[in-house]
Amino acid sequence: MATIVVDVMPKAELLDPQGKAVSGALSRLGVDQFTSVRIGKRFELTVDGPVGEDTLAKAREIADEILSNAVIEDVIGIEVVE
Amino acid sequence: MATIVVDVMPKAELLDPQGKAVSGALSRLGVDQFTSVRIGKRFELTVDGPVGEDTLAKAREIADEILSNAVIEDVIGIEVVE
């Protein structure tokens, strides 16, 4: 059994209000080490058996078409773990 | 400038309705390569300058106390990139 991890982040040119909110909360709590916070999604897709090239291609396809919204998000990584 | 990536996933024993919904959508679309889907969060914390041990310790602290909800989520990874 393997897991394919897909990382999706809001596009760099977008504001990411969720990240801004966390960043503001950190400032108010006196945490000043981090200049910005951005929040994206991490998908774990479980695959029975080994991950072949076709399964990885299908993962790339659904990452672009279903798991992310290309207008506001970028798929920044797809990797097989375990 | 460096980035600390914090990965947070719903605890394994929880249902993760968001992941279940995506999994169901994939089945309906005829995608049967993936037996389950779980959806978590990926935080990117930007740091000015190099990441020292104290900055990393602070990142671990906010990952546990602010970025995740220990009742329903696990921090599964903290790593420095770039």
Side-chain angles (χ1 to χ4, degrees):
Chain A
M1 209 171 76
T3 302
I4 300 175
V5 174
V6 178
D7 288 318
V8 173
M9 293 299 291
K11 281 184 189 291
E13 58 270 30
L14 295 187
L15 264 179
D16 184 19
Q18 221 189 145
K20 282 268 183 298
V22 170
S23 189
L26 291 178
S27 296
R28 286 192 297 279
L29 292 167
V31 178
D32 56 5
Q33 287 90 338
F34 311 107
T35 52
S36 83
V37 179
R38 295 185 75 78
I39 306 179
K41 286 179 211 154
R42 176 191 161 95
F43 297 84
E44 289 185 356
L45 311 173
T46 308
V47 179
D48 268 341
V51 177
E53 196 42 59
D54 53 338
T55 306
L56 208 49
K58 180 56 86 175
R60 283 196 202 97
E61 186 189 317
I62 68 164
D64 287 336
E65 294 176 8
I66 299 172
L67 304 182
S68 69
N69 176 351
V71 177
I72 57 169
E73 294 169 325
D74 287 322
V75 177
I76 62 160
I78 298 183
E79 60 167 348
V80 182
V81 296
E82 280 147 68
Chain B
M1 208 172 78
T3 301
I4 299 175
V5 174
V6 177
D7 288 318
V8 173
M9 292 299 291
K11 281 184 188 290
E13 59 270 30
L14 295 187
L15 264 181
D16 183 19
Q18 223 190 144
K20 281 268 183 299
V22 170
S23 189
L26 291 178
S27 296
R28 286 191 298 278
L29 291 167
V31 178
D32 56 5
Q33 286 90 339
F34 311 107
T35 52
S36 83
V37 179
R38 295 184 74 77
I39 307 179
K41 287 180 211 153
R42 175 191 161 94
F43 296 85
E44 289 185 357
L45 311 173
T46 308
V47 179
D48 269 341
V51 176
E53 197 40 62
D54 52 339
T55 306
L56 208 49
K58 180 56 85 173
R60 284 195 201 98
E61 186 189 316
I62 69 164
D64 287 336
E65 293 176 9
I66 299 172
L67 304 182
S68 69
N69 176 352
V71 177
I72 57 169
E73 294 169 324
D74 287 322
V75 177
I76 63 159
I78 298 183
E79 60 167 348
V80 181
V81 296
E82 278 147 68

